[in-house]
Amino acid sequence: HVRFQDPYIQIKSVDIPDSKLEMNDEKYKYRIYRLDTPMAVGEHRSIAFKAFRHAQGFRARENDVRLVRNGTFLNNSEFSPQLGMNRSGLLTDRTKRRKYGLPSELRPPKLGDESAREQNYVGNADWVMSDITVSTSKDQTPIAPGSKISDEIKGDRRIARFVSTNPILAFFSVQSAKYAVAERSANGVDMAVYYQPEHDYNVQTMLDATENSLAYFQKNFGPYQFDYARIIEFPGYASFAQAFAGTVPYSERVGFLANITDPEDIDYVTYVTAHEFGHQYWAHQLISANMQGGTLMVETMAQYSALMVMKQVLGEDKIRRFLKYELDNYLSARGNEALEELPLNKVEDQGYIHYRKGAVVMYLLQDRLGEARVNAMLAKLLNRYKFKGPPYATSTDLVDGFKSLARNDAERQLVTDLLEKITIYDLKAGSASVKKLADGRYQTEISVEAAKFYADGLGKESEADLVDEIEIGLFSARPDQGAFSSKEVLYKKRHKITSGTQKIRIVTKKRPEFAGVDPYNKYIDRDSDDNIVEISE
């Protein structure tokens, strides 16, 4: 099965020796060849092809913004054939599917379907070794995954060769533009940012984020598999960053033109950079099976990796704004679900779940179970599946890992609630008062209202018993405003919280001005704006 998936590609030739072309669907560029003799185990054969992609002028619609004069960014499916069959290209439109008597939704295999573990989340190819030669205009810089073996100019062409030293996914990009380059080396890794010369605003931030991220990941997850780490700017026709093997194409609109000068704003350049290099472990070392829960192992884990870097760089007292951002986006997106909301262990490539909810959930799990303990478990999981073919990892492997860290019933219930159920909390600081004691200290009484609900995929909720250890905090400034820092934290410890209303008394040396329950927004709280209250006399 030989498929050219890109609509702009013209197939010039495909040569598979000792085979017969049995089907040629020219409209969808799908060919089936039958080999004269089956391949033996361990046998190698070659496929030669020529494909042509040309962009000139403007179309009436759907302009080609991938192959451009300065800033080409193509992934392998946009110029080379895909071997084998997967779901890419199948009908997704509900109306058309019903017209042909198909199920209205094209959904991934169910969690627990062992046959689905034969294919990974990215595609139907296993790990590969790569040897990529890119030729471009002599005034541009060609880039592809792999260690650079050669780079030379011949006539009006610049030709570079990149060879992988460790397995990579059969999923890679090539890029070419007139780049300026900023470089740095640390811990045996040559880091580089390739960028439009006028877009140098955040280049050093990106290099700092790359260095800090790889240092944290190497210490906590295991070795980084490449001797290079590249960030490559591409034009702002799209707004995303994407991780390939050691290379991270990065839209000018996402990172290079971002204004992150206000210290009270979210530094999303560092956050996104850390997320993409987190993928060098979660996708490019361990790749999950193509089934429900697959993106938990890839996208949620990259979110966790990024949050841990931000925690290290900024300190925990600055993390609230990231968690608040992710929480609010998750809660607002739930109402737009077209099919059904699923728990994290069964997520079906639903971004608001595996990105937004996943970030908050993973931060709470490491907070309760211990960052070092969680990272040790993750390192073992990575080592178990690193560069391994089928059967691929599933979300159950990760859930079981967290369950193994639970030290009591409350922690076991928390893992289940966060990963295997759709759980919504309702935490509120009702009122708080303070009085000065005879010894000069201050006693604060805070009223806390709490509830927990389980939701089904359509949003119907049922109340459940809440028995958990949740943080109570006292502060000299609001933790959700301004340049809040650790010096404003007078008290922050976990207390037993149950369903209903409870009053908690705390004694501090200094008079607090604000009190809160779950003040850093670590829980999936339906209204996180009522967690903090000003203290009255």
Side-chain angles (χ1 to χ4, degrees), residues 145-205:
S147 298
K148 186 184 289 187
I149 301 301
S150 62
D151 187 355
E152 57 184 342
I153 294 177
K154 292 184 178 181
D156 63 349
R157 307 296 292 172
R158 183 173 178 179
I159 303 168
R161 181 185 175 200
F162 303 86
V163 177
S164 64
T165 54
N166 276 307
I168 70 169
L169 297 171
F171 173 60
F172 60 88
S173 67
V174 296
Q175 293 179 252
S176 177
K178 298 177 182 178
Y179 296 115
V181 186
E183 298 176 306
R184 183 187 300 179
S185 294
N187 300 317
V189 179
D190 293 329
M191 298 171 285
V193 178
Y194 296 81
Y195 63 99
Q196 180 77 6
E198 297 85 1
H199 298 170
D200 61 348
Y201 313 105
N202 300 320
V203 167
Q204 292 304 315
T205 299

Side-chain angles (χ1 to χ4, degrees), residues 19 21 24 56 59 103-104 114 142 150 283 295 322 364 368 376 384 442 446 503:
S19 69
L21 179 62
N24 185 8
Q56 184 176 20
R59 297 183 173 91
S104 59
E114 285 299 309
S150 62
T295 53
F322 293 91
L364 176 56
R368 283 294 297 278
R384 176 181 170 190
Y442 295 86
I446 177 173
K503 293 186 181 294

Side-chain angles (χ1 to χ4, degrees), residues 351-418:
Y352 76 99
I353 299 175
H354 63 228
Y355 288 124
R356 308 308 173 203
K357 177 183 177 181
V360 181
V361 163
M362 286 298 301
Y363 194 88
L364 176 56
L365 285 174
Q366 65 82 32
D367 184 68
R368 283 294 297 278
L369 302 175
E371 179 183 351
R373 297 176 73 234
V374 167
N375 286 342
M377 178 272 289
L378 296 176
K380 290 181 181 178
L381 185 61
L382 275 164
N383 189 58
R384 176 181 170 190
Y385 284 104
K386 185 176 182 179
F387 304 140
K388 296 290 178 61
Y392 291 101
T394 73
S395 61
T396 302
D397 294 305
L398 185 60
V399 173
D400 288 347
F402 278 111
K403 287 181 176 179
S404 73
L405 300 179
R407 292 161 291 204
N408 51 50
D409 289 342
E411 290 182 351
R412 278 185 286 274
Q413 187 62 53
L414 185 66
V415 172
T416 296
D417 286 348
L418 297 181

Side-chain angles (χ1 to χ4, degrees), residues 18-269:
D18 302 320
S19 69
K20 176 184 177 182
L21 179 62
E22 288 201 345
M23 187 201 82
N24 185 8
D25 186 333
E26 294 187 1
K27 180 178 180 180
Y28 293 105
K29 303 182 178 70
Y30 188 169
R31 301 182 178 193
I32 298 177
Y33 293 82
R34 183 172 296 278
L35 303 181
D36 295 339
T37 57
M39 289 184 68
V41 174
E43 182 183 356
H44 290 196
R45 296 192 189 184
S46 296
I47 296 175
F49 70 93
K50 290 184 179 180
F52 181 74
R53 183 181 177 125
H54 181 57
Q56 184 176 20
F58 296 93
R59 297 183 173 91
R61 59 181 180 179
E62 296 180 352
N63 280 301
D64 186 356
V65 296
R66 307 283 281 181
L67 178 63
V68 296
R69 181 183 62 83
N70 187 36
T72 288
F73 166 28
L74 296 169
N75 67 53
N76 58 306
S77 68
E78 292 171 314
F79 60 84
S80 66
Q82 305 297 293
L83 304 183
M85 182 58 192
N86 62 24
R87 293 185 170 202
S88 177
L90 298 185
L91 281 175
T92 57
D93 183 85
R94 296 175 179 176
T95 303
K96 287 184 178 180
R97 290 184 63 83
R98 286 193 292 266
K99 176 182 176 182
Y100 291 106
L102 298 168
S104 59
E105 303 293 341
L106 184 63
R107 299 180 67 171
K110 298 286 187 182
L111 178 64
D113 182 349
E114 285 299 309
S115 65
R117 297 185 68 186
E118 294 300 307
Q119 290 193 352
N120 64 49
Y121 163 65
V122 171
N124 57 314
D126 296 329
W127 298 97
V128 301
M129 300 299 286
S130 65
D131 189 335
I132 304 167
T133 298
V134 183
S135 172
T136 188
S137 302
K138 68 178 181 180
D139 60 346
Q140 296 196 8
T141 302
I143 302 173
S147 298
K148 186 184 289 187
I149 301 301
S150 62
D151 187 355
E152 57 184 342
I153 294 177
K154 292 184 178 181
D156 63 349
R157 307 296 292 172
R158 183 173 178 179
I159 303 168
R161 181 185 175 200
F162 303 86
V163 177
S164 64
T165 54
N166 276 307
I168 70 169
L169 297 171
F171 173 60
F172 60 88
S173 67
V174 296
Q175 293 179 252
S176 177
K178 298 177 182 178
Y179 296 115
V181 186
E183 298 176 306
R184 183 187 300 179
S185 294
N187 300 317
V189 179
D190 293 329
M191 298 171 285
V193 178
Y194 296 81
Y195 63 99
Q196 180 77 6
E198 297 85 1
H199 298 170
D200 61 348
Y201 313 105
N202 300 320
V203 167
Q204 292 304 315
T205 299
M206 291 177 175
L207 286 172
D208 291 342
T210 302
E211 182 176 354
N212 289 329
S213 298
L214 292 181
Y216 183 90
F217 303 155
Q218 287 174 306
K219 177 182 178 180
N220 291 281
F221 299 156
Y224 177 62
Q225 66 269 42
F226 306 114
D227 60 2
Y228 64 90
R230 307 181 187 118
I231 293 174
I232 313 105
E233 182 181 8
F234 65 85
Y237 299 115
S239 298
F240 65 87
Q242 189 172 16
F244 295 91
T247 61
V248 176
Y250 211 134
S251 170
E252 63 178 341
R253 289 169 61 187
V254 172
F256 287 88
L257 300 183
N259 184 353
I260 56 172
T261 56
D262 188 339
E264 294 188 19
D265 287 342
I266 288 178
D267 178 5
Y268 66 86
V269 173

